[in-house]
Amino acid sequence: MVEQIDFAKGDGLVPAIVQHWLTGEVLMLGYMDAEALAATRDTGLVSFHSRSKGRLWTKGESSGNVLRLKSLHVDCDADALLVLAAPAGPTCHRGTSSCFDGARLPLGFLAELDALVARRAAERPAGSYTTKLFEGGIRRIAQKIGEEGVETALAAVAQGDAELLGEAADLLFHLTVALRARGLGLADAAAVLADRHAQRSAG
């Protein structure tokens, strides 16, 4: 529980690791005191104690690149925080998504893809292949899944790794579009898998 955080160990400050709530990318490290933690919980915008400024600092207060709080987690020793957040723009002052170079996780891109497809579904930009799929309707999207599924299966038994990976990528993309056409996302499908795994592990 967040109420159990031990600020005394670090002279009133605890490290706060910020992670993208969907992709898992580590975005930044900051320090929170009791005031920053309270502000984060009250406003929903991730705030820190700025050691250089000597005051409460809300990420993005100047740039607009705020971090919207999703959840807070305390480590086992109650002297560090994990902050899951949704970034509104780049997190790093260099204009990059993360303050840590090379911190992106390969599977995390699936969440980025899902978010992009969701935007395409809402905005329908002209000239976009994804827009064309959405405007073709769910039957056309389903047909593409069938085609890509067959091509992936054939590649698995008769082609090389590069061909299999290419076809699998096409299948994942079109599956993502189909889910979004139904108002669903990859996270929903992943939740079903996680639930099945939990049930089987408990059995």
Side-chain angles (χ1 to χ4, degrees):
M1 297 291 291
V2 173
E3 289 76 13
Q4 298 173 341
I5 195 74
D6 188 352
F7 289 103
K9 286 185 181 179
D11 295 326
L13 296 176
V14 296
I17 302 163
V18 183
Q19 189 174 17
H20 194 296
W21 77 293
L22 280 177
T23 69
E25 182 179 22
V26 177
L27 302 177
M28 66 172 291
L29 169 68
Y31 291 85
M32 288 189 182
D33 57 8
E35 181 185 20
L37 178 57
T40 297
R41 299 179 74 184
D42 291 344
T43 66
L45 299 178
V46 181
S47 299
F48 303 95
H49 174 78
S50 171
R51 294 175 296 171
S52 60
K53 297 180 177 69
R55 64 170 177 84
L56 179 71
W57 169 63
T58 299
K59 177 70 179 74
E61 62 185 22
S62 299
S63 66
N65 298 328
V66 297
L67 295 166
R68 301 191 186 282
L69 178 68
K70 290 296 182 177
S71 62
L72 287 164
H73 306 270
V74 182
D75 82 332
C76 58
D77 294 321
D79 58 3
L81 284 166
L82 176 64
V83 182
L84 299 185
T91 297
C92 184
H93 69 280
R94 301 171 300 173
T96 56
S97 62
S98 171
C99 294
F100 298 92
D101 294 329
R104 300 180 73 175
L105 304 175
L107 289 177
F109 177 72
L110 289 177
E112 295 181 37
L113 173 65
D114 189 45
L116 175 61
V117 171
R119 290 196 298 273
R120 291 288 189 268
E123 299 168 1
R124 305 290 176 93
S128 165
Y129 174 67
T130 311
T131 295
K132 182 179 178 181
L133 286 172
F134 281 123
E135 292 180 346
I138 190 62
R139 290 184 179 275
R140 174 57 182 154
I141 298 169
Q143 180 184 354
K144 287 297 296 181
I145 291 176
E147 293 172 1
E148 300 299 346
V150 169
E151 290 174 4
T152 301
L154 290 173
V157 298
Q159 295 180 307
D161 290 348
E163 290 79 11
L164 173 58
L165 289 172
E167 297 298 348
D170 290 342
L171 178 58
L172 281 170
F173 168 75
H174 287 92
L175 178 59
T176 303
V177 174
L179 287 168
R180 282 296 167 188
R182 293 284 301 272
L184 302 168
L186 287 174
D188 299 306
V192 172
L193 287 173
D195 185 57
R196 288 177 183 173
H197 174 72
Q199 291 178 16
R200 288 168 183 166
S201 298

